[in-house]
Amino acid sequence: MAKKMKPKADNVLAQNKKARHDYNILDTYEAGIALTGTEIKSVRDGKTNLRDGFVRITNDEAWLVNVHISPYKEGNQFNVDPLRNRKLLLHKKEIRKLLEALTQQGLTAVPLKMYLKHGYAKVLVGVAQGKKLYDKRESLKQKDQKRDIARAMKERY
């Protein structure tokens, strides 16, 4: 009898924490991702880096660009290029809305996190607007204030 694996909280495999620091996220889309057999095994092992990734739309198809998925250790000749472009699986209506948002000045689409949902790898794509340096400082200040308040409340009760 096979062991049942205990699911991780929310099944998050990779997160792009830097994206939330560098950008204001305006809208999000959940997209499937087309992976090969060895890539999905590597993703399930958590060998994914979303930090420099972005979404590009060409010929009415959404592509995940510059996301590094390490080669699977036992993959031998079936491994593919770790930085290859991967197709995102979205409905045509969602691709049109995403394209419309990306044509606006100063907006980009970045992957926020990769997770498993019903056994399939999904990517949460965010339409984002870049922050200025003073915005980053302000968000760090607010984060510190929230942490101090939470610490004070914990001591109080």
Side-chain angles (χ1 to χ4, degrees):
M1 185 171 189
K3 282 186 182 179
K4 288 188 177 179
M5 290 183 60
K6 190 175 181 182
K8 288 190 256 179
D10 199 25
N11 289 329
V12 174
L13 302 170
Q15 261 188 328
N16 189 355
K17 294 179 183 177
K18 188 117 173 106
R20 296 215 184 258
H21 177 72
D22 290 341
Y23 301 102
N24 287 322
I25 308 300
L26 306 175
D27 197 11
T28 59
Y29 296 93
E30 181 183 62
I33 182 169
L35 298 172
T36 64
T38 55
E39 282 181 322
I40 188 64
K41 290 180 181 184
S42 186
V43 165
R44 286 176 190 262
D45 284 344
K47 307 279 194 233
T48 307
N49 185 0
L50 300 174
R51 179 168 291 164
D52 298 327
F54 61 95
V55 175
R56 179 180 290 152
I57 297 179
T58 54
N59 298 333
D60 293 330
E61 293 179 336
W63 294 88
L64 189 61
V65 181
N66 210 18
V67 170
H68 188 276
I69 297 178
S70 298
Y72 186 58
K73 195 166 66 174
E74 286 88 26
N76 57 39
Q77 80 259 22
F78 298 109
N79 281 328
V80 293
D81 179 29
L83 285 175
R84 76 180 184 95
N85 297 344
R86 294 164 180 93
K87 188 173 182 179
L88 291 178
L89 308 174
L90 290 163
H91 291 282
K92 283 192 186 268
K93 203 181 264 188
E94 290 175 323
I95 291 174
R96 275 191 233 115
K97 283 175 65 177
L98 188 60
L99 181 61
E100 187 177 301
L102 294 181
T103 55
Q104 293 179 15
Q105 186 68 28
L107 296 184
T108 186
V110 292
L112 300 175
K113 66 180 175 178
M114 188 178 287
Y115 53 94
L116 288 178
K117 187 173 180 182
H118 304 295
Y120 294 104
K122 303 282 184 178
V123 177
L124 188 66
V125 176
V127 176
Q129 183 177 27
K131 283 186 184 179
K132 303 286 186 206
L133 181 61
Y134 55 86
D135 290 335
K136 294 178 191 178
R137 289 183 187 146
E138 184 65 31
S139 60
L140 284 175
K141 190 189 319 180
Q142 288 175 357
K143 184 177 164 185
D144 288 341
Q145 288 173 348
K146 286 180 184 178
R147 189 179 309 128
D148 291 341
I149 290 170
R151 194 176 296 137
M153 293 299 287
K154 185 177 178 183
E155 291 174 5
R156 197 170 199 195
Y157 296 104

